[in-house]
Amino acid sequence: MINAVRRFLAFWYDFVIGDDWRVAVAVVLAMTLTWLVHRSGTSAWWVVPVFFALVLPVSLWRAVSRP
């Protein structure tokens, strides 16, 4: 039973975090900021695309420049 729980948690860790924990943190920040902007009464559709436009080039640069 414990082995199954460990495999289940390992799957979710690998699925959510993946290769770069920084991207996972950026996604959580984007979702949190989207929620905060929405709660303030402003349109929040633009938050995730902006985060995507900022995080993707940095992530790709880091992946390409690894030895």
Side-chain angles (χ1 to χ4, degrees):
M1 179 68 178
I2 297 296
N3 228 2
V5 171
R6 282 188 187 148
R7 286 187 308 222
F8 180 75
L9 293 175
F11 163 77
W12 279 107
Y13 177 83
D14 191 43
F15 181 73
V16 173
I17 304 299
D19 292 332
D20 194 357
W21 64 269
R22 291 167 190 89
V23 174
V25 169
V27 168
V28 170
L29 288 174
M31 293 171 61
T32 304
L33 185 59
T34 301
W35 177 74
L36 290 172
V37 170
H38 171 72
R39 295 277 295 158
S40 74
T42 308
S43 178
W45 67 266
W46 55 270
V47 176
V48 173
V50 168
F51 263 82
F52 179 77
L54 295 173
V55 171
L56 181 64
V58 173
S59 176
L60 290 175
W61 178 78
R62 291 186 78 248
V64 170
S65 64
R66 286 185 186 160

